[in-house]
Amino acid sequence: MNILRAASAGTLESSDALVMVSPGEGELAIDIESVVLPQFGAVIRQAVEEVAREMGVTAGIVRVNDRGALECTLRARVETALLRGTEAGT
Amino acid sequence: MSKLAGSLREAITACGLKDGMTVSFHHHLRNGDHTLNQVLAEIAGMGIKNLRIEASSLFAVHAPLVEHIKNGVVTAIGTGYMSGPLARAVSEGILPGPARFRTHGGRPAAMERGTARVDVAFIAAPAADPMGNLSGVLGPAACGSLGYAMTDARYAGKVVALTDHLLPYPLFPASIQEDRVDYVVQLSSIGNPQGIVSGTTRMTRDPVALAIARLAARVIEHSGLIKDGFSFQTGAGGASLAVTQYLKPIMRRLNVRGSFGLGGITGYLVEMLEEGFFDSLLDVQCFDLKAVASIRDNPRHQEISAARYASPLAKSAAVDSLDAVVLGALEIDTDFNVNVHADSNGIIAGGSGGHADTAAGAKLAIVAAPLFRARLPIIVDRVLCVTTPGDTVDVLITQRGIAVNPGQPELKDRLVRAGLPVYDIVKLKEMAEGYTGVPAPVKPEGKVVGEVEYRDGRVIDVIRAVR
């Protein structure tokens, strides 16, 4: 699946994450900002990569602004943003 | 004779303030304080350098201190609490040496011992007369109790009162009296009432905080302490404050009349006083305007000094007669040590205030905190900074369960018998990590930027610079 349009999911509330996706060439670029970056930066990146892989998204840009979301929340926000930005969203 | 100085500068000059001396400030005007910034701007303009600040607390409004530190006007700080841009700058190592953190009871003790010597105390007085009788309950910037400032007035070499509400001699009622005050200076404003107190303290509607508070009230109920003469302190934030609203029906049901509510006083404790749940309030600092009105109008609402509140050197302090206190935590470790100094990244985000004092004094010291905050478990193997030693903390309450300090087996039995959800603290930690995952450890390793002085004067921990 390819990201066809800019889309987002989530909020900047504490314990949530705002995920923004947009089309892009080449490999999937993942940009992560987080209030818990030192503690959970690596696992946040891993979660985003896994969700993208499971959905077959291999190109484009995913920006995560994480306010301390639990992993289940984060995965749901990434999945929703990708659905909204890909064919599946049409 | 008049003690009225023509200007702030005239008073500072008359006090003989020189390079290397110590000046003190108190924090009853909280984040609405205008006095510290005005005084330091004046001192900076006079070319005086290398000063030490002894403050009872410093807030975001005191951000101009950062410039004074950069310019060498201020080179050392002692305080009970620090937040905002100043705390960030101190965490980054802006001071030549470490900031000294004291407790609200440790501060008067350090002044009594002479380890915290103050050359000139600046007292923000919501009302004053020309001879230096001072009141906190009158005037446009009324803040209620002047408890922390009483210490400064007693121990400082020179005392300067700053007021924007000058009244005829003799002012009544005077919290700090003329025998302690050298000069009185009139300013156009000592503070912004909006920032002094929150107006009304708002009860949280956060369901997690309410669940914690409900559980905390049940722990107090089953602790064996709820009987006539019960005494109680709680903070003004989140779950701590909410405990008050759950305690009231319990006291009513058990037909218990308490002796006193202590501390920073909120409108909720004022209501309990007025409704007869407590005989008295002992107030070192007012947190909202309802408390300010009450301490002005109700003789049972008593103003107390910082020393009487919590000093370990006082012949007795109110915390020594305290039954239960509800405290917060940024972190608590599996030995029950509590950190309210540094956030999860090790950056200064507060300080003890009365935390360590009340935990040491109270028969039941409760720490109430969510199991995790924004993916960070509250329970850790070792806190980044020890504010309050674990042997003075009796019980941790989270929304999912309670952990009792192993040093309190009788309390644990009581709570288990009452059917409350009691777990080992390690089990609660694992429960939290089940939701959040295990955080990678963070440990700042820069130079020492803060020293945590316990109430007895010992340095029990340090805070290091973040890179």
Side-chain angles (χ1 to χ4, degrees):
Chain A
M1 270 198 304
N2 290 316
I3 300 172
L4 302 173
R5 66 188 84 80
S8 69
T11 72
L12 291 174
E13 294 292 309
S14 177
S15 305
D16 199 353
L18 177 63
V19 179
M20 290 169 289
V21 301
S22 51
E25 298 298 315
E27 286 197 356
L28 185 68
I30 298 172
D31 176 43
I32 293 169
E33 263 183 77
S34 171
V35 294
V36 293
L37 200 65
Q39 292 87 359
F40 289 106
V43 295
I44 291 170
R45 177 169 294 276
Q46 196 185 337
V48 176
E49 284 170 355
E50 277 176 24
V51 172
R53 193 181 320 121
E54 284 160 15
M55 296 177 68
V57 174
T58 53
I61 301 162
V62 179
R63 288 201 179 85
V64 178
N65 191 339
D66 169 60
R67 313 301 292 174
L70 294 180
E71 181 128 344
C72 51
T73 310
L74 179 70
R75 284 176 178 264
R77 294 305 193 191
V78 174
E79 185 177 336
T80 305
L82 286 173
L83 282 172
R84 286 173 179 165
T86 58
E87 295 93 338
T90 53
Chain B
M1 175 198 174
S2 168
K3 295 174 180 173
L4 268 179
S7 67
L8 184 52
R9 183 169 293 214
E10 200 179 296
I12 294 167
T13 304
C15 287
L17 188 71
K18 292 185 179 59
D19 288 8
M21 284 187 167
T22 297
V23 292
S24 79
F25 299 91
H26 65 108
H27 73 282
H28 295 95
L29 300 180
R30 298 170 66 76
N31 207 38
D33 175 48
H34 292 168
T35 59
L36 184 147
N37 293 340
Q38 286 183 75
V39 169
L40 284 177
E42 195 65 41
I43 288 172
M46 293 166 74
I48 298 171
K49 300 262 186 195
N50 199 22
L51 289 179
R52 181 180 181 86
I53 304 279
E54 286 292 350
S56 49
S57 288
L58 296 166
F59 297 100
V61 70
H62 300 125
L65 260 174
V66 175
E67 280 309 305
H68 295 307
I69 295 169
K70 283 183 187 158
N71 296 334
V73 177
V74 172
T75 48
I77 293 179
T79 188
Y81 178 99
M82 189 189 287
S83 62
L86 173 68
R88 163 67 70 158
V90 170
S91 277
E92 287 168 355
I94 192 178
L95 281 170
R100 187 82 168 190
F101 284 93
R102 295 194 180 86
T103 71
H104 281 339
R107 182 174 187 265
M111 288 190 186
E112 187 177 340
R113 278 185 208 105
T115 50
R117 291 184 47 191
V118 176
D119 296 297
V120 184
F122 291 93
I123 295 180
D129 71 27
M131 299 309 283
N133 293 296
L134 314 180
S135 166
V137 302
L138 306 169
C143 62
S145 177
L146 289 178
Y148 299 117
M150 292 174 179
T151 301
D152 303 47
R154 174 160 177 198
Y155 292 108
K158 297 282 182 186
V159 175
V160 178
L162 310 168
T163 191
D164 53 12
H165 192 65
L166 196 67
L167 294 173
Y169 182 91
L171 171 152
F172 175 85
S175 301
I176 291 170
Q177 292 159 359
E178 59 188 308
D179 57 315
R180 300 282 180 193
V181 178
D182 294 275
Y183 302 102
V184 178
V185 179
Q186 260 188 296
L187 300 175
S188 60
S189 166
I190 63 164
N192 168 12
Q194 255 74 49
I196 293 168
V197 285
S198 40
T200 53
T201 310
R202 279 186 3 150
M203 190 59 82
T204 181
R205 295 169 59 197
D206 172 9
V208 172
L210 292 175
I212 296 165
R214 200 158 39 228
L215 200 48
R218 295 189 65 198
V219 165
I220 296 171
E221 176 183 1
H222 294 288
S223 67
L225 293 170
I226 295 258
K227 48 192 179 213
D228 283 341
F230 172 67
S231 58
F232 178 64
Q233 175 168 349
T234 183
S240 321
L241 179 63
V243 176
T244 321
Q245 76 177 20
Y246 293 109
L247 194 60
K248 206 150 85 168
I250 292 171
M251 289 177 73
R252 185 183 292 126
R253 172 159 49 77
L254 299 175
N255 196 22
V256 163
R257 189 177 173 93
S259 55
F260 68 94
L262 175 64
I265 297 294
T266 62
Y268 290 92
L269 276 172
V270 169
E271 272 174 29
M272 290 184 79
L273 173 71
E274 290 170 353
E275 292 164 10
F277 289 95
F278 290 109
D279 287 328
S280 186
L281 298 179
L282 301 180
D283 187 343
V284 70
Q285 178 190 8
C286 295
F287 279 144
D288 57 31
L289 295 176
K290 193 163 182 175
V292 174
S294 169
I295 200 171
R296 183 187 64 217
D297 299 333
N298 188 342
R300 290 180 176 275
H301 185 154
Q302 304 182 57
E303 183 178 33
I304 58 171
S305 69
R308 184 180 169 199
Y309 170 43
S311 171
L313 293 189
K315 290 176 184 177
S316 72
V319 295
D320 302 326
S321 296
L322 186 60
D323 284 330
V325 63
V326 183
L327 298 164
L330 293 170
E331 296 177 315
I332 181 167
D333 66 28
T334 49
D335 294 323
F336 288 83
N337 297 303
V338 177
N339 163 24
V340 290
H341 272 94
D343 72 12
S344 52
N345 295 319
I347 297 166
I348 294 166
S352 171
H355 199 289
D357 300 305
T358 51
K363 291 193 187 76
L364 176 66
I366 295 171
V367 170
L371 202 54
F372 51 88
R373 266 190 205 108
R375 203 174 180 174
L376 291 170
I378 224 76
I379 307 169
V380 296
D381 288 327
R382 178 73 186 168
V383 287
L384 280 169
C385 173
V386 177
T387 304
T388 297
D391 59 6
T392 62
V393 174
D394 299 307
V395 57
L396 166 68
I397 296 169
T398 73
Q399 70 271 36
R400 298 276 170 180
I402 298 163
V404 182
N405 191 319
Q408 301 293 340
E410 195 203 336
L411 176 65
K412 184 177 174 183
D413 284 350
R414 282 174 174 277
L415 301 183
V416 169
R417 277 205 308 275
L420 296 179
V422 177
Y423 299 93
D424 190 281
I425 194 166
V426 175
K427 175 72 190 155
L428 278 181
K429 174 173 177 278
E430 288 166 1
M431 218 186 275
E433 290 171 352
Y435 291 98
T436 64
V438 179
V442 170
K443 187 85 189 159
E445 283 169 350
K447 70 168 182 171
V448 174
V449 295
E451 291 173 327
V452 178
E453 179 179 313
Y454 192 56
R455 59 202 304 259
D456 60 7
R458 282 180 306 136
V459 172
I460 56 168
D461 210 342
V462 298
I463 301 167
R464 290 186 177 275
V466 287
R467 283 173 300 278

